[in-house]
Amino acid sequence: MIADKLVQEFKTVVGGENVWTDASDLHVYSYDAAVVDPVRPGLIVRPTTVEALGRTVRLCNDNGLPLTVRGAGTNLSGGTVPLPGGVVIVTNGLNTILEINEADMYAVVQPGVVTAKLAAAVEAKGLFYPPDPGSQAVSTIGGNVAENAGGLRGLKYGVTRDYVMGVSFFDVEGHLVKSGSRTVKCATGYNLTGLMVGSEGTLGVFSEIVLKLIPLPAHRRALMAVFDSLEKASETVAAIIADRIVPATLEFLDNFTIRAVEDFSKAGLPKEAAAMLLVELDGHPSQVEEDAARVESLCRAKGATSIRMAQDAAERDRVWAARRAALSALAQLKPTLVLEDATVPRSRIPDMVTAIQHIAERYDLTIGTFGHAGDGNLHPTILTDRRDRAEWERVEKAIDAIFDEALAMGGTLSGEHGTGIAKSRYLEKETSAGTILFSQRIKRAMDPNQILNPGKIIAVKE
Amino acid sequence: MEVLARLMRELEDQLVVCMKCGMCQSVCPVFDQTGREADVTRGKLALLSGLMESIFDDPEGVYARLNKCLLCGSCAANCPSGVDVQEIFLKARAILTGFMGLPPTKRLVLRGMLANPSLFDRLTEWGARFQRIFSRPVNDIIGTSCARVMSPLLQDRHFRPLAPVPFHRQVPSVDRPAGASGRKVAVFTGCLIDKLFPNIAHSTLKVMDHCGVGVFLPENQGCCGIPALSSGDLDTFHKLLDHNLSLFEAGEFDRLVTACATCTATIHEIWPRMAAKRQREAAARLARRTMDINQFLTAEVNYSPPADAPEIPRRVTYHDPCHLKKSLKVFSAPRDLVQATPGCRLAEMAESDWCCGMGGSFNLQHYAISKQIGTKKAAQIMDTRADVLATGCPACMIQISDMLSQAGAAVAVRHPVELVAEALDP
């Protein structure tokens, strides 16, 4: 319980209508999109000015209250699940696009700006903000930066990290820290921006973010290729990359996912296909057309049973509708869906797909696999019912096994969902004891009272 | 707490379908205004699960938050997991209402008036006679009025007044055989059309006549029941269902049509699912034959205007009622009708399928939020520089009239069927 007097102080800072303490309001901030246990916070605060945000952080620190910053709560690793009795700072009241600079190609935004809204605003000016996480319709830029979110375009365009030119943030005492700049080059001070990207709210609280923009590609071309074996599909991925073609997206769907999508959307996908690749090329029209023709002939050479090249925007949308429907289609099959994002060097995709199949058999689980084949980031999606205890134990073992396989192949636990609480205990396996120690020291130096989203990424050590 | 948890368990299999992805945040008109998790479907479902699992104890708090919802169905239409939001919410409202009791004003309105169609009709007729004393006209083009003196109920609303004579007084019943088309429809009038917009009902009859479609319009029709259901009053809903089912079971027709998006969606989607066991079969039978009037005219009788129809040049923009677009997937038919009307040119507004913010009793309980949502809609309508806003739902027409009138706009508000009927004869 947070004392009434302290609640009053928060109200003074952000306004009475932006502080919530009812049991019902606390309950709805106890979870995010990850399959982890909910934890009930003690207070919800929704600042609507940057000044109020800074003073809220300070007030938490002064009173030793753990705080968790939350954008849209779409986190898939439990990073926005609060601490018991802690404070949740909701950032969606800070949702102004402060500037879109066409001459210098950058945007300045508040942390609560919704990713898709920024992307649309930027596109209206002929510019492009490429990171497109699956939750972009609701996710916030602050959350994307804090998690270093990815998306479908990683192969060619990289991830959120590659577009953050600078961040301003409040340290735990409420001091405003500025890093980076609006210039392409910037060599002053520590690279605090680099440290803050992906820090999951454990080191500071973003107040403003400067993002790099690029010109909007003039032309796009999508194609869909169907294969009767997994090997042929993954060899095609390798062949495309080896041919020095860099598609904007190169997505993979396995047989289970194809069948689920077809049952769900009746889009006319071949249910007997072992795998499908969806490719989109973008850039200068002549280059795109030339690359598209090469991709088509590579698919054919590697034994694709059918290839469909989208002829217009409507057909392109139909190609991508199949990919977009993947998660929905799988989600309809069972109550609980565990979406993993273990990532391997892309040449190991065939091995990883095979390994996931073996894991599904070994633990007698239903796993659909789809994802970003082009950048090695697959989404093995385990379908289960969390109420079935025995099966849930096997799910946990399967997750461990997936992580082990990914690490053995030189990969990472998470391509784009973050460490959060779901993966913190595996982090040492991927890195080293020294890495954990170093990270803990940074954390302790910047947050001596351990109030900034403690327990995320690394376990709290006294 | 245990009792309530046990009652809520009826919803368990439907509640676990939500995977908490949060995509509903992108389409919820209420959340768009407030940014509060308890206002969006993911939050509401979590609250219901919380009660079911006895994680916390705040049924009043949950009830209040559950009712802060337009029931527009935008979330369900956009839900990756296919959560049956409408059914969960309606059942949960019924469970919580049963657990805590219906508030006295709602009891009076729903059980005292709505459940008894002829009494409800008489009371609104008295209201129509007295409304001029309390209100004065404010916008001639839209046809709105506002309160003469400060009123806690009306606030600063610009409302469409009750018709001096409701439709059922002008045309108590019709039973006209099929004409050239060989088709015959039953017409379910709907309370708002009967009492506020009788011209929509007249237009419906006129257009059916033009298309050679016979009409069965039984006397003493009741409300479709959605106000009762959304207040968790299953008893009144079942009573109204009995009343309406027996009226329509008696007629012979191939389709039941309504010009009200909400009535159509309620009859088509909700009657069969929320009917009492004894009613389920008849409700399902009727639901299968129920169709929106725009869809009927375009898909089933191939409406076209007469060759000598007068051409009135007008720029028309169309608002998609949630219950047509999201519940019934009807969105091209009304546009086709507008475009088939001589002189009408369609100018699309931005976000035409974003909810207008009406939501029935939501507008009464949460007028401030309803108005914020509607103000945005009015601005988007005015941006099209249209002369006419057309929409297939009288509830949307009330809200949009209010918002346009308060914005001082000169945009007439019409049902597509009214536009069609205007072209039929001078």
Side-chain angles (χ1 to χ4, degrees), chain B residues 31-60:
Chain B
F31 179 82
D32 184 53
Q33 296 297 329
T34 67
R36 295 178 73 143
E37 180 82 14
D39 290 339
V40 77
T41 303
R42 176 174 67 169
K44 291 177 161 70
L45 295 173
L47 289 174
L48 297 175
S49 299
L51 285 184
M52 179 182 79
E53 291 159 13
S54 304
I55 294 177
F56 71 108
D57 182 24
D58 182 20
E60 291 84 7

Side-chain angles (χ1 to χ4, degrees), chain A residues 24-25 29 31 72-73 387, chain B residues 12 25 37 42 46 58 65 80:
Chain A
S24 292
D25 283 322
Y29 291 95
Y31 54 78
R387 295 171 296 179
Chain B
E12 181 176 352
Q25 293 172 94
E37 180 82 14
R42 176 174 67 169
D58 182 20
R65 285 162 181 80

Side-chain angles (χ1 to χ4, degrees), chain B residues 339-359:
Chain B
Q339 273 170 319
T341 305
C344 286
R345 274 187 308 131
L346 193 66
E348 289 289 343
M349 68 177 93
E351 299 184 277
S352 63
D353 63 352
W354 192 260
C355 178
C356 69
M358 177 69 185

Side-chain angles (χ1 to χ4, degrees), chain A residues 17 20 22-25 27-29 31-34 38 40 46 70-74 90 92 117 134-138 264 327-329 331-332 334-337 385 387, chain B residues 12-13 16-27 31-38 42-44 46-47 49-51 55-58 61-62 65 79-82:
Chain A
E17 72 281 12
W20 313 320
D22 285 3
S24 292
D25 283 322
H27 181 73
V28 297
Y29 291 95
Y31 54 78
D32 58 21
R40 191 154 77 138
R46 182 174 180 261
R70 178 188 180 98
T74 51
V90 179
N92 64 18
K117 287 190 178 166
S135 56
Q136 60 172 332
V138 297
F264 173 70
L327 190 60
S328 304
Q332 312 261 341
K334 286 277 189 82
T336 313
L337 177 147
D385 186 338
R387 295 171 296 179
Chain B
E12 181 176 352
D13 287 337
V16 293
V17 177
C18 173
M19 58 172 175
K20 294 199 169 72
C21 67
M23 293 309 285
C24 38
Q25 293 172 94
S26 68
V27 293
F31 179 82
D32 184 53
Q33 296 297 329
T34 67
R36 295 178 73 143
E37 180 82 14
R42 176 174 67 169
K44 291 177 161 70
L47 289 174
S49 299
L51 285 184
I55 294 177
F56 71 108
D57 182 24
D58 182 20
V62 174
R65 285 162 181 80
C79 177
S81 307

